[in-house]
Amino acid sequence: MTSPPPSTLELTAPSIYVSLDYTPLSIPVTLSHVKSPKAGAIVLFAGTTRDTFNSLPVLQLKYTSYAPLALKTLLAIATSMKEKHSLTAIAMTHRLGIVPIGEESILIAVSAPHRQAAWRAGEEALEEVKAKVEVWKLEEFGGEQGGVWRANRDGAVGERVHGGGLGESGESGESGGEGEWGIGDPLSPMTSRNG
């Protein structure tokens, strides 16, 4: 009997926390990773699922990733932001799986001695995540519209799919189980928490 995949995968470094999570994201938990008496400012970005895209009604988003690489990329971005902006701490967590309308798909929290550094780092971290992290999303539209798989980047061209997230080849666009998480990858220094 195999055990279910963990609901959260995370990597940490001093004053850095990054994770991928199949459960609803928690703003208080994310903020707890960056609070410090050394910080004069904390900036939080919460990206949420909206109900339309290009005038089409969105039912929900579904995110998938190659988790071992996505976590390493998140950690590299967080490390770079912490050094570049002299941050006190940074936490980034991305939701995977189905994200209903109004729920958060990404949280980025940064703390710094001064607000200017926190604002700049938060914005830059988001742009780096969208440009580099190995996360893809299926935008599922209402009616006969089907959906579109695309890289998690603003304006990225996607591949239209119809009916249940299946492409023309008939293969599902979502992987699951151990393959998606990369459990057992000897090169991945991940820790996991079952939810």
Side-chain angles (χ1 to χ4, degrees), residues 12-26:
T12 62
S15 302
I16 297 173
Y17 175 85
V18 298
S19 69
L20 297 170
D21 202 325
Y22 269 102
T23 61
L25 304 182
S26 170

Side-chain angles (χ1 to χ4, degrees), residues 32-46:
S32 74
H33 292 291
V34 300
K35 287 189 175 185
S36 168
K38 296 178 182 177
I42 294 175
V43 170
L44 172 75
F45 172 80

Side-chain angles (χ1 to χ4, degrees), residues 9-179:
L9 287 177
E10 55 194 11
L11 288 177
T12 62
S15 302
I16 297 173
Y17 175 85
V18 298
S19 69
L20 297 170
D21 202 325
Y22 269 102
T23 61
L25 304 182
S26 170
I27 289 172
V29 168
T30 301
L31 289 174
S32 74
H33 292 291
V34 300
K35 287 189 175 185
S36 168
K38 296 178 182 177
I42 294 175
V43 170
L44 172 75
F45 172 80
T48 59
T49 301
R50 63 180 177 266
D51 63 0
T52 58
F53 178 78
N54 286 343
S55 301
L56 294 173
V58 173
L59 298 177
Q60 64 189 10
L61 298 180
K62 186 184 299 182
Y63 290 91
T64 189
S65 77
Y66 177 57
L69 189 54
L71 283 167
K72 290 176 185 177
T73 303
L74 282 167
L75 186 62
I77 292 168
T79 300
S80 173
M81 293 300 105
K82 185 173 181 285
E83 292 171 3
K84 179 177 181 180
H85 296 284
S86 300
L87 298 177
T88 305
I90 182 169
M92 300 190 298
T93 188
H94 204 298
R95 178 105 174 251
L96 296 178
I98 294 173
V99 183
I101 302 299
E103 288 191 18
E104 292 81 14
S105 56
I106 187 168
L107 296 176
I108 298 175
V110 298
S111 62
H114 304 286
R115 70 182 182 276
Q116 293 86 358
W119 282 117
R120 284 191 301 269
E123 173 71 16
E124 189 174 338
L126 175 64
E127 297 306 322
E128 289 288 298
V129 166
K130 292 188 80 61
K132 296 179 180 176
V133 176
E134 297 77 7
V135 171
W136 301 272
K137 67 181 171 184
L138 172 62
E139 295 171 330
E140 295 184 15
F141 303 115
E144 299 294 318
Q145 300 297 324
V148 175
W149 274 108
R150 68 178 82 239
N152 192 26
R153 289 148 182 63
D154 291 333
V157 176
E159 178 180 333
R160 183 161 300 280
V161 294
H162 298 282
L166 298 178
E168 288 185 23
S169 68
E171 293 187 41
S172 172
E174 180 185 20
S175 61
E178 290 190 11

Side-chain angles (χ1 to χ4, degrees), residues 1-5 178:
M1 174 179 237
T2 61
S3 61
E178 290 190 11

